[in-house]
Amino acid sequence: MAQRKGCLIGCGVALVLFIGLVAVVLFGFGKVLDLAEKTLVDPSVYEAVQVGDPESAVRDRLPSGESFVKEALKDGGPAQPAGSACSWFLSSADPKGGEETVFRFCFKDGKLAEKVQYAMK
């Protein structure tokens, strides 16, 4: 009887651990999808917008860009134009040579003041 009770407890613990692991995997998968939704921009969007376009029209074509990788995307890029507000995004295209392409859009006075793309390792 004691062996049977110990086996049931062990199986219960294993089941709880398995359910916890599944929950963690699903949470991680959700975070990756969230990241993709908020930070990926198609290269055709980058090419389509032009310096001087109204900020609202450009932002309407972009995702929110608010994610935990925003700070990492800022590193390694050129200096921001003075007095501008910039947003950083990853290209949805496949990485080339192991480097991701970063798109940076800077706005000033209600217009797109600069758009820059650069590689990030």
Side-chain angles (χ1 to χ4, degrees), residues 43-98:
S44 64
V45 172
Y46 177 81
E47 295 300 328
V49 298
Q50 301 299 319
V51 171
D53 286 352
E55 180 175 357
S56 59
V58 175
R59 288 202 185 269
D60 285 346
R61 300 185 74 175
L62 301 173
S64 72
E66 294 303 320
S67 75
F68 61 92
V69 299
K70 182 178 177 181
E71 291 301 317
L73 297 178
K74 291 179 181 182
D75 294 340
Q80 282 182 237
S84 66
C86 298
S87 296
W88 291 260
F89 303 93
L90 284 172
S91 172
S92 63
D94 291 333
K96 295 178 182 170

Side-chain angles (χ1 to χ4, degrees), residues 81-112:
S84 66
C86 298
S87 296
W88 291 260
F89 303 93
L90 284 172
S91 172
S92 63
D94 291 333
K96 295 178 182 170
E99 295 183 332
E100 295 281 349
T101 300
V102 177
F103 297 135
R104 184 183 75 190
F105 300 88
C106 294
F107 303 95
K108 186 175 182 180
D109 300 327
K111 296 189 184 288
L112 180 62

